[in-house]
Amino acid sequence: MIEGDIIWRRGGANIEELPDPLAPVVVEPIEAPVRPKRKRWRVVLYGVSALLLITILWLIVTAPLSRALEPLADPAMLLVSSEGRPIARRGAIKDTPVEIAKLNPLTPAAFIAIEDRRFYRHWGIDPRAIGRAMVANASAGGVRQGGSTITQQLAKTSFLSSDRSYKRKAQEVIIAFWLEGWLTKDEILSRYLSSVYFGDGVYGLRAASRHYFGRQPENLSLAQSAMLAGMVQAPSRLAPTRHLSDAQKRSRLVLGTMAETGAISRERAAATTLARPIATRDRVPTGTYFADWVAPAASKAFESDFGEVRVATTLDADLQRLAVRAVNNASLGGAQAALVAMRPDGRVVAMVGGTSYKSSPFNRATQARRQPGSAFKLFVYLAALRAGYSPDSVISDRPVTIDGWSPANSDGIYRGDITLREAFARSSNAATVRLSEAVGRGNVMRAARDLGISSPLPDSPSVALGTAGVSLIELTSAYAAIAGGHYPVQPRGLPDTRDDGQLSMLFARGGALDDRRDRAPMLDLLWAATNQGTGRRAALSVPTFGKTGTSQGNRDALFIGFAGNLVVGIWVGRDDNGSLGDVSGGTTPARIWRSFMVPALAVDGRVGPALPPQFHLPAAPRRERKSPLPDDWSDSTKVIRELFEQIGKLVDDEK
């Protein structure tokens, strides 16, 4: 090695190869230890567990196990009249639950054979049944069989809606597993038989046994059990009360299936005589005009219970029969008619909502809002009495124009200055509108509201002539306030259990009409309208009070009045709002009113509210009755003439 080429070394290494002491220090990264990835199955497990927990909580809250054993939320009602006569039957019947251990063993066997023959061997769903149903439906080209188990059917009928969706089906399966986990098989079967639908509005085996065969479910025969089991597939189509041949054909299929499962022998299945239903219920209609109206209130009057709940109403069966007859006997010329009869305290005793409930259940007495015409004038004259007018006050019956509108009297006659009594009796439109404007429309509408009119009332001059639509029942209730002297009168179809109506009137909300200022003068006007004015055809031999009403174009005709202890409203009109022609409130409605009231007062025989002492019934002119025999006849006829005179006096005295 040349001396000049000496290379400096340190620690045996060439100095050029040593690291630069002035270079920045580079720190090598340290790799973290590799951890094993979390297994995905744990995430799935946590998700399934959370979903299961949520499902269990949902089931506890929304699907209590006892629900199938509870009565229906809207149980059957038997509406009865005030005398206890059945009026209508509403809703479905579900009776007390059954216990499998107490039934004839062949009864549950029939249901298991036809509905779920592997019931005691599956856990809520039956894959075999599902597969068998899929094959059968595919071969038939449509749904012919179902794969649902009895447990699934219980889940569906007790906890879910009937819609066909994948969500509902998934819920059904979950609930089925839930039921299988918490109940024994016999408990599931008991709940199923206690709640399944059997047609004719009956739910549960006990109600079905009583309805179709008049016996308890513990005493069902083999044939009867087979018929009931067969009905579950299509209750409406297989109800033996309406489709006996189809029900018996299905019963034979059930018996054959029971033989296949070993529940009975084939010989017994073939030898069994098929069952026939026994009628056990009276033929009571499911709907009437009154029943439809009172049902919502009746359903709130009692708690849910098993069987059929008997609900007393205010309807009087005899008066209802007379009301139907009065409407049916009227000459309506294709028009409709409605009738409401109530007590002065609002208890409805008769109701007819049209000429035929079967043809049209629309209740024209409670649902229709039609123009009352001059029957609305009650509120105009009541407002005037409150303002200080009297029946003898004078009002001008001359043509008048208000805001470009000129009301006309229906007969085209204007009588100049007349009393309020004459204006009301003759139903003068011009005088009534003048009076309404004089006392103020606001006061007229206030009087209507006080007496219970809740329908919208326009602030226009024509409101005085009844151009706003109101229902017949609320208008009749307003007249009942005049009859009883208390307002407002709330029409009701259920009895007041506290008393006979007198105390309820005394302590009712609202007020009492002043006898001197309001009630006695109003009775004066109503008597004049009925006995001397447009309502003469309705006058009776007893004190009669009322008012006619005819709307524009003779589209509606009404008579509202009271006598004895009855306040009755009559409406006649067409559903298409067409004209009635020559019919007015003083013709057909007044005649219907009288044809109902004459026999009704004879049947009812009740005395109405006492008339105020300030009201004095005008004396009716006494009609002289003459003997049909001439005066110049011989003396031998004197005895006969005197007999006729005595008979005439007796008739007058009766009046």
Side-chain angles (χ1 to χ4, degrees):
M1 179 177 295
I2 300 175
E3 186 176 340
D5 294 330
I6 296 175
I7 299 177
W8 293 88
R9 295 174 179 273
R10 177 178 294 176
N14 294 332
I15 192 170
E16 291 87 352
E17 296 176 356
L18 294 176
D20 186 354
L22 301 179
V25 178
V26 179
V27 180
E28 294 291 334
I30 301 176
E31 294 184 2
V34 179
R35 297 180 180 179
K37 295 183 179 180
R38 180 179 296 178
K39 295 183 178 180
R40 293 184 178 180
W41 66 267
R42 291 184 178 179
V43 178
V44 175
L45 179 62
Y46 291 152
V48 172
S49 300
L51 181 61
L52 181 62
L53 178 61
I54 294 173
T55 302
I56 292 174
L57 293 175
W58 170 69
L59 288 171
I60 293 174
V61 174
T62 63
L65 294 173
S66 62
R67 179 172 296 178
L69 302 178
E70 297 173 354
L72 297 173
D74 187 18
M77 299 183 296
L78 178 63
L79 300 175
V80 298
S81 67
S82 57
E83 310 93 341
R85 302 181 195 175
I87 299 170
R89 180 174 277 114
R90 312 274 300 193
I93 298 176
K94 181 180 180 182
D95 223 318
T96 53
V98 297
E99 297 181 31
I100 294 298
K102 295 182 179 180
L103 297 176
N104 180 339
L106 293 179
T107 298
F111 286 88
I112 292 173
I114 194 65
E115 290 294 317
D116 187 4
R117 63 177 61 186
R118 297 187 66 252
F119 173 69
Y120 285 103
R121 298 193 298 275
H122 62 64
W123 279 84
I125 62 173
D126 187 356
R128 292 187 187 179
I130 295 174
R132 184 174 63 251
M134 292 178 63
V135 172
N137 293 336
S139 302
V143 178
R144 294 293 183 272
Q145 292 185 17
S148 295
T149 64
I150 285 178
T151 311
Q152 287 177 270
Q153 293 181 50
L154 175 62
K156 178 178 64 176
T157 58
S158 297
F159 308 111
L160 300 172
S161 64
S162 58
D163 64 311
R164 297 184 178 182
S165 64
Y166 290 110
K167 176 183 177 182
R168 203 271 298 157
K169 199 66 178 178
Q171 292 173 330
E172 178 184 304
V173 172
I174 293 173
I175 296 177
F177 284 132
W178 162 264
L179 294 173
E180 292 279 353
W182 288 89
L183 298 173
T184 66
K185 286 291 187 178
D186 282 354
E187 288 175 333
I188 292 174
L189 188 57
S190 295
R191 283 163 167 77
Y192 169 75
L193 293 178
S194 298
S195 59
V196 69
Y197 183 56
F198 286 94
D200 274 10
V202 292
Y203 287 82
L205 185 62
R206 190 173 303 280
S209 301
R210 290 177 173 176
H211 173 67
Y212 291 112
F213 305 115
R215 60 174 59 190
Q216 296 293 345
E218 292 81 3
N219 301 323
L220 288 172
S221 66
L222 171 60
Q224 292 167 342
S225 299
M227 179 167 283
L228 291 176
M231 290 172 57
V232 173
Q233 182 192 57
S236 298
R237 183 171 56 83
L238 296 173
T241 50
R242 289 174 289 175
H243 308 284
L244 179 58
S245 60
D246 291 338
Q248 290 182 331
K249 182 179 179 181
R250 177 75 174 171
S251 297
R252 185 62 69 189
L253 176 63
V254 174
L255 292 170
T257 308
M258 292 179 71
E260 292 177 5
T261 60
I264 58 175
S265 65
R266 295 187 180 277
E267 292 76 15
R268 187 175 183 183
T272 299
T273 302
L274 300 179
R276 299 181 68 89
I278 300 173
T280 58
R281 292 168 65 184
D282 298 330
R283 295 184 63 84
V284 179
T286 57
T288 65
Y289 291 115
F290 177 83
D292 291 352
W293 174 70
V294 80
S299 62
K300 298 177 183 178
F302 59 87
E303 299 295 332
S304 297
D305 199 359
F306 291 109
E308 188 175 69
V309 180
R310 190 180 181 93
V311 181
T313 70
T314 61
L315 194 81
D316 186 296
D318 292 328
L319 296 179
Q320 176 66 21
R321 176 176 52 81
L322 295 175
V324 173
R325 188 178 71 179
V327 171
N328 289 342
N329 290 343
S331 299
L332 299 173
Q336 285 286 346
L339 180 153
V340 174
M342 65 176 65
R343 302 297 183 193
D345 65 354
R347 288 172 292 165
V348 175
V349 294
M351 177 181 290
V352 179
T355 56
S356 171
Y357 179 86
K358 183 178 181 180
S359 300
S360 173
F362 178 74
N363 194 334
R364 296 155 188 85
T366 61
Q367 296 175 286
R369 295 186 183 275
R370 303 292 291 255
Q371 292 185 5
S374 295
F376 190 87
K377 292 175 181 177
L378 175 82
F379 310 112
V380 177
Y381 286 80
L382 177 59
L385 296 174
R386 288 177 169 181
Y389 287 78
S390 75
D392 294 317
S393 297
V394 176
I395 190 74
S396 175
D397 181 27
R398 296 182 178 87
V400 61
T401 300
I402 301 173
D403 298 336
W405 174 67
S406 300
N409 289 344
S410 59
D411 57 7
I413 301 174
Y414 299 89
R415 296 172 176 82
D417 292 338
I418 58 176
T419 63
L420 264 61
R421 183 182 297 106
E422 184 178 358
F424 191 80
R426 295 184 180 276
S427 201
S428 169
N429 291 336
T432 300
V433 171
R434 285 182 185 274
L435 187 62
S436 174
E437 295 299 305
V439 300
R441 295 175 211 159
N443 291 325
V444 172
M445 290 188 281
R446 186 176 299 111
R449 297 298 185 212
D450 286 347
L451 268 60
I453 299 298
S454 59
S455 298
L457 301 175
D459 185 11
S460 64
S462 65
V463 72
L465 303 184
T467 56
V470 300
S471 68
L472 179 64
I473 194 168
E474 67 178 326
L475 190 62
T476 307
S477 301
Y479 278 73
I482 303 297
H486 295 269
Y487 63 87
V489 171
Q490 182 65 39
R492 54 190 172 90
L494 300 179
D496 191 336
T497 56
R498 297 172 299 175
D499 55 82
D500 62 357
Q502 298 301 318
L503 288 178
S504 61
M505 287 180 60
L506 185 60
F507 295 104
R509 294 181 180 180
L513 292 171
D514 184 275
D515 279 349
R516 181 180 299 276
R517 186 196 66 183
D518 302 334
R519 188 164 172 241
M522 200 71 245
L523 292 174
D524 185 331
L525 298 177
L526 291 168
W527 186 92
T530 305
N531 294 272
Q532 300 172 342
T534 56
R536 291 189 299 274
R537 289 184 178 87
L540 306 171
S541 59
V542 298
T544 312
F545 309 89
K547 183 71 182 74
T548 59
T550 309
S551 68
Q552 302 176 60
N554 289 50
R555 294 183 178 90
D556 304 274
L558 303 92
F559 185 86
I560 320 288
F562 50 90
N565 201 38
L566 292 172
V567 186
V568 181
I570 307 292
W571 168 87
V572 175
R574 300 185 184 278
D575 288 340
D576 61 2
N577 208 30
S579 175
L580 294 169
D582 296 334
V583 175
S584 65
T587 57
T588 303
R591 283 192 288 264
I592 296 175
W593 192 91
R594 193 177 192 282
S595 68
F596 167 73
M597 288 294 284
V598 169
L601 292 179
V603 170
D604 192 53
R606 301 190 184 188
V607 179
L611 299 176
Q614 295 82 6
F615 174 73
H616 301 287
L617 189 66
R622 186 181 182 89
R623 292 181 299 173
E624 295 185 2
R625 294 182 178 272
K626 296 186 62 177
S627 170
L629 300 176
D631 294 335
D632 57 354
W633 270 34
S634 64
D635 291 339
S636 61
T637 62
K638 182 178 180 180
V639 177
I640 300 177
R641 291 200 307 272
E642 290 177 351
L643 178 60
F644 274 105
E645 290 175 2
Q646 293 298 325
I647 294 174
K649 290 180 180 180
L650 289 175
V651 173
D652 289 338
D653 291 341
E654 286 295 322
K655 291 186 177 181

